[in-house]
Amino acid sequence: MQSLVEAIKREGRVLPGGFLKVDGLVNHQLHPALTREMGETFARHFAPLAPTKVLTIEVSGIAPAIMTAAELGVPMVYARKKKPLTMSEQVYTAQSVSRTKGGTVDLFVSSEYLGPQDRVVVIDDFLASGGTLRSLSQIIADSGATLLGLGCVIEKEFEGGRQHLADLNVPIHTLANIVRMSEEEGIVVQAGR
Amino acid sequence: MQSLVEAIKREGRVLPGGFLKVDGLVNHQLHPALTREMGETFARHFAPLAPTKVLTIEVSGIAPAIMTAAELGVPMVYARKKKPLTMSEQVYTAQSVSRTKGGTVDLFVSSEYLGPQDRVVVIDDFLASGGTLRSLSQIIADSGATLLGLGCVIEKEFEGGRQHLADLNVPIHTLANIVRMSEEEGIVVQAGR
């Protein structure tokens, strides 16, 4: 997605400690036209697989996921990181590691909204080491649903997530790929794949 | 928004303790067509005020807010409940109370994405007692931006938020209004105002 690649080149920063800062594009401020184009691009890619549901995870996956679901015309479900009082008793859970905030988080998806009849595309903001996506794939497996594919807005290929998730044996599609980055050199980014 | 009113009548539940359960519409699963109609309705209402930004709060405000921003053609910013490592030093903060999860939460908005030049519409999932919206209005005031109006998907009029926020002196628009609800009687819901 060339518009995203250009936006990352324009606005992306590398912070001390090697953290990628794209707060103005993905994690705090969002540009609706860019976010809608993310949804359109993912939908074009995954529509042939006939998904019935888009699954993501709070927080930064919600915007690209709702846009993807809107293009596909299917409901979107987002895994919660705390079990709200209103969530049903029967839930699917998994643990996920959060690099930007540190520590592990528990993920919750209610059996009311995910089950064996579902053909699921997972959408999230980053493909880094693949831990979060692994957790979501576990939840899908536990629910009896079928995982069709993984869509991530930004891939950081040097963190190896694509290889770590190869055993899932589903297509992984990303919109921008960060080949490498450093405070000195900045961000080397290309179109995703 | 009649389609939302019908959906609440169809799917809404009242849980022991008086909690409204609309997880399948707003807080866990989302229907994109319904969410897009929320955005269209809010945009029709607030466009004449010439907003430059939509502000919401993670988590459940993000989907209706990005759809509203898409219709208005302006960026959307969502207040974070934890300060990510990537957020700038200069931030605007406020505290908000979460009834469904209990306790207070801190809200963070970076000065990078909100400032005196901004004319802001706040969008969120609920108008209950008005505490969360009060916190967001405080952040807007601290940033020097102008608050134009408040849009909430579901109003629970019996919690008095509209009256509690009257001193803000801005239009409050809601898409569905819950007049009263109880486990015995169920949910009495009408169009918002």
Side-chain angles (χ1 to χ4, degrees):
Chain A
M1 193 172 133
Q2 202 49 36
S3 52
L4 177 61
V5 171
E6 299 308 326
I8 293 171
K9 286 180 182 171
R10 203 174 48 241
E11 298 190 27
R13 297 285 178 282
V14 182
L15 300 180
F19 289 103
L20 174 68
K21 178 182 172 73
V22 282
D23 291 11
L25 301 173
V26 177
N27 303 103
H28 191 22
Q29 173 180 267
L30 299 165
H31 298 284
L34 193 70
T35 312
R36 181 174 274 164
E37 189 183 349
M38 296 175 192
E40 290 163 352
T41 311
F42 283 134
R44 265 198 310 275
H45 197 82
F46 290 115
L49 304 177
T52 64
K53 199 151 281 182
V54 169
L55 177 66
T56 188
I57 172 175
E58 62 170 82
V59 164
S60 300
I62 289 174
I66 190 72
M67 290 298 191
T68 306
E71 295 299 320
L72 291 171
V74 300
M76 180 271 268
V77 174
Y78 56 93
R80 304 301 314 252
K81 289 181 180 173
K82 275 187 187 168
K83 187 173 183 293
L85 299 172
T86 56
M87 191 178 273
S88 63
E89 280 318 308
Q90 209 210 327
V91 295
Y92 304 109
T93 64
Q95 275 211 334
S96 161
V97 176
S98 167
R99 236 170 58 86
T100 46
K101 277 176 235 141
T104 60
V105 290
D106 294 311
L107 306 182
F108 300 89
V109 175
S110 166
S111 62
E112 291 175 287
Y113 309 118
L114 188 65
Q117 71 287 359
D118 284 315
R119 297 168 54 80
V120 184
V121 168
V122 168
I123 298 290
D124 202 7
D125 54 350
F126 282 105
L127 170 58
S129 61
T132 301
L133 297 163
R134 173 74 63 187
S135 311
L136 290 177
S137 70
Q138 185 56 55
I139 283 178
I140 292 168
D142 293 348
S143 75
T146 305
L147 173 62
L148 298 178
L150 307 172
C152 294
V153 175
I154 298 174
E155 177 173 5
K156 296 191 271 189
E157 72 173 36
F158 50 90
E159 294 203 32
R162 196 174 278 271
Q163 290 73 19
H164 299 161
L165 298 170
D167 62 294
L168 294 179
N169 213 2
V170 292
I172 298 177
H173 187 55
T174 62
L175 305 183
N177 176 34
I178 294 179
V179 180
R180 63 182 183 276
M181 64 178 199
S182 66
E183 288 177 76
E184 302 71 32
E185 187 185 11
I187 300 168
V188 178
V189 53
Q190 62 189 190
R193 53 193 172 100
Chain B
M1 191 173 136
Q2 202 51 38
S3 53
L4 177 61
V5 171
E6 299 308 326
I8 294 171
K9 285 180 182 171
R10 205 175 45 242
E11 297 191 28
R13 296 286 177 283
V14 182
L15 300 179
F19 291 102
L20 174 67
K21 179 182 172 71
V22 282
D23 290 13
L25 301 173
V26 178
N27 303 104
H28 191 21
Q29 174 181 265
L30 299 165
H31 298 283
L34 194 69
T35 311
R36 181 173 276 166
E37 189 183 349
M38 295 175 192
E40 290 162 352
T41 311
F42 283 134
R44 264 198 311 274
H45 198 84
F46 291 115
L49 304 177
T52 63
K53 198 152 281 182
V54 169
L55 177 67
T56 188
I57 172 175
E58 63 170 80
V59 164
S60 299
I62 289 173
I66 191 72
M67 291 298 191
T68 304
E71 294 299 320
L72 291 171
V74 300
M76 181 269 269
V77 174
Y78 57 91
R80 303 303 312 253
K81 290 180 180 173
K82 276 188 187 168
K83 187 174 183 295
L85 298 172
T86 55
M87 191 178 273
S88 63
E89 280 319 308
Q90 209 211 326
V91 295
Y92 304 110
T93 64
Q95 274 211 335
S96 162
V97 175
S98 168
R99 232 170 64 83
T100 46
K101 277 175 238 143
T104 60
V105 289
D106 295 312
L107 306 183
F108 301 88
V109 176
S110 167
S111 60
E112 291 175 285
Y113 310 118
L114 189 65
Q117 71 288 359
D118 283 316
R119 297 168 55 81
V120 184
V121 168
V122 168
I123 298 290
D124 201 8
D125 55 348
F126 281 105
L127 171 58
S129 62
T132 301
L133 297 163
R134 172 75 62 187
S135 310
L136 290 177
S137 70
Q138 185 56 56
I139 283 178
I140 292 169
D142 294 348
S143 75
T146 305
L147 173 62
L148 298 178
L150 308 171
C152 294
V153 176
I154 298 174
E155 177 173 4
K156 295 191 271 189
E157 73 173 35
F158 50 89
E159 294 203 32
R162 197 175 278 270
Q163 291 72 20
H164 300 161
L165 299 170
D167 62 295
L168 294 179
N169 213 3
V170 293
I172 297 177
H173 186 55
T174 62
L175 306 182
N177 175 35
I178 294 179
V179 179
R180 63 181 183 276
M181 64 179 199
S182 66
E183 289 177 77
E184 302 72 29
E185 187 185 12
I187 300 169
V188 178
V189 53
Q190 62 188 195
R193 53 194 172 102

